[in-house]
């Protein structure tokens, strides 16, 4: 069958249309769901927000009051949308790159927590860092009571360290020469401005007067990412002397001695006078007999 303009009638089978320049010859593998499926794969397949990590350096931080510190925030996301540091401290962006940011935090006067965060493919993650303020042992107060003590009498050595923190990281050691008298730790004690005190009570010996007494403080912050701080007090001497008899005892002994002397003297006088009276009486009887 012929049609006008030389066209042929379609007989049986599917009708074929000439391909347009904007239409692909082959269908997408996702069919009519191609675009939604592609978007779903973009957000759910590996490489999406569930896979990236956020890191902070340092992982632990201890600073002195009023100190400052550089904090690095980084992520494994290749192209993060946003990222930064969340804190109540004064912060300044120091340097940055596609996957990291470096901040300077300053004016740190109390314990706090800072957070690094990044957003990647619609998912946001953060990492937290505990910031601790420490007070190193700077002033050591050593006191010996009494400073003069008799052999065999008790005395007390006391060491006080004001304004030290954290107490759970502190150890105080009392020394006699190089000999350790006592070690005191403060685990579980509350941090406050009263400081820490260690006390040792002992009996005085003659050799105590030949040694210096001292106190050593050790603040170990290594478990918190810090250093170890040492401080030693000025040495002090204990003056030891031999005990003297008690004054009251001396008085008692003296009185007893005098009374004993008087008693013995009185007996002797009585004996002498008795003998003398007897002799006189015997002499009088001899004259009468004559």
């Amino acid at each position: 069958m012929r049609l006008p303009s030389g066209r042929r009638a379609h007989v049986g089978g599917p009708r074929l249309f000439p391909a347009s320049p904007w239409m692909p010859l082959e269908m997408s593998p996702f069919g009519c769901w191609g675009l939604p499926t592609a978007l779903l794969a973009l957000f759910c397949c590996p490489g999406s927000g569930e896979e990236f990590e956020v890191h902070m350096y340092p992982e632990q931080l201890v600073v002195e009051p009023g100190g400052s510190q550089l904090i690095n925030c980084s992520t494994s996301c290749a192209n993060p949308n946003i990222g930064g540091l969340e804190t109540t401290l004064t912060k300044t962006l120091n340097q940055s790159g596609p996957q990291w940011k470096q901040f300077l935090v300053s004016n740190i006067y109390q314990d706090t927590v800072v957070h690094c965060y990044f957003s990647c493919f619609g998912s946001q993650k953060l990492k937290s860092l505990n910031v601790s303020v420490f007070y190193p042992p700077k002033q050591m107060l050593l006191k010996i009571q009494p400073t003069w003590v008799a052999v065999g009498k008790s005395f007390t050595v006391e060491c006080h360290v004001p304004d030290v923190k954290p107490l759970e990281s502190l150890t105080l050691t009392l020394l006699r020469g190089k000999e350790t008298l006592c070690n005191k730790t403060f685990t579980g004690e509350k941090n406050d401005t009263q400081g820490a005190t260690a006390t040792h009570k002992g009996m005085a010996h003659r050799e105590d007067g030949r040694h210096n007494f001292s106190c050593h403080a050790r603040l170990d912050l290594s478990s918190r990412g810090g250093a170890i701080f040492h401080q030693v007090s000025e040495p002090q001497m204990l003056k030891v002397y031999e005990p003297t008899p008690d004054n009251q005892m001396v008085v008692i002994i003296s009185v007893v001695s005098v009374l004993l002397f008087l008693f013995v003297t009185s007996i002797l006088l009585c004996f002498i006078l008795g003998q003398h009276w007897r002799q006189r009486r015997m002499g009088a009887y001899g004259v009468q007999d004559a």
Side-chain angles (χ1 to χ4, degrees), residues 27-241:
M27 295 291 291
S28 166
F30 296 107
C32 61
W33 299 99
L35 181 58
T37 306
L39 293 175
L40 184 62
L42 179 63
F43 286 100
C44 298
C45 293
S48 68
E50 297 180 358
E51 295 298 322
F52 78 98
E53 297 293 336
V54 175
H55 305 281
M56 296 185 73
Y57 183 83
E59 296 181 352
Q60 294 179 312
L61 181 59
V62 287
V63 295
E64 290 194 61
S68 59
Q69 178 69 36
L70 290 172
I71 297 179
N72 289 321
C73 299
S74 61
T75 179
S76 60
C77 177
N79 188 23
N81 299 327
I82 58 172
L85 182 73
E86 184 67 29
T87 178
T88 58
L89 301 171
T90 302
K91 66 177 180 179
T92 304
L93 180 61
N94 189 42
Q95 300 180 62
S96 65
Q99 295 176 274
W100 61 275
K101 295 178 183 292
Q102 185 185 71
F103 296 89
L104 176 66
V105 293
S106 55
N107 298 326
I108 307 173
Y109 286 98
Q110 61 183 1
D111 296 350
T112 185
V113 180
V114 298
H115 309 277
C116 281
Y117 65 90
F118 282 95
S119 178
C120 186
F121 294 105
S123 177
Q124 181 169 300
K125 289 187 178 182
L126 61 83
K127 186 84 170 180
S128 299
L129 168 67
N130 291 321
V131 180
S132 302
V133 176
F134 75 95
Y135 293 78
K138 294 182 179 180
Q139 186 179 12
M140 306 284 292
L141 304 177
L142 183 66
K143 181 170 61 176
I144 301 178
Q145 291 291 339
T147 56
W148 286 74
V149 63
V151 173
K153 297 296 181 179
S154 63
F155 69 98
T156 302
V157 182
E158 180 182 280
C159 177
H160 180 69
V161 185
D163 299 329
V164 61
K165 180 184 174 183
L167 289 180
E168 60 266 22
S169 301
L170 177 68
T171 302
L172 291 182
T173 304
L174 291 174
L175 300 168
R176 182 185 65 178
K178 295 183 178 180
E179 177 189 358
T180 299
L181 297 177
C182 76
N183 275 316
K184 185 174 181 181
T185 57
F186 301 87
T187 303
E189 295 197 20
K190 182 180 179 181
N191 292 315
D192 53 30
T193 57
Q194 297 180 359
T197 302
T199 305
H200 170 76
K201 294 183 178 181
M203 302 294 291
H205 301 84
R206 291 182 181 88
E207 58 270 18
D208 289 334
R210 298 191 291 268
H211 297 281
N212 287 325
F213 288 83
S214 60
C215 180
H216 174 246
R218 183 176 187 265
L219 188 67
D220 187 358
L221 301 177
S222 57
S223 62
R224 297 169 176 255
I228 301 177
F229 297 85
H230 299 270
Q231 189 65 268
V232 181
S233 69
E234 291 290 334
Q236 292 192 21
M237 293 286 294
L238 176 67
K239 298 179 180 179
V240 182
Y241 60 90

Side-chain angles (χ1 to χ4, degrees), residues 264-276:
V264 173
T265 302
S266 63
I267 291 177
L268 290 175
L269 287 174
C270 290
F271 178 77
I272 293 172
L273 290 175
Q275 291 293 328
H276 182 67

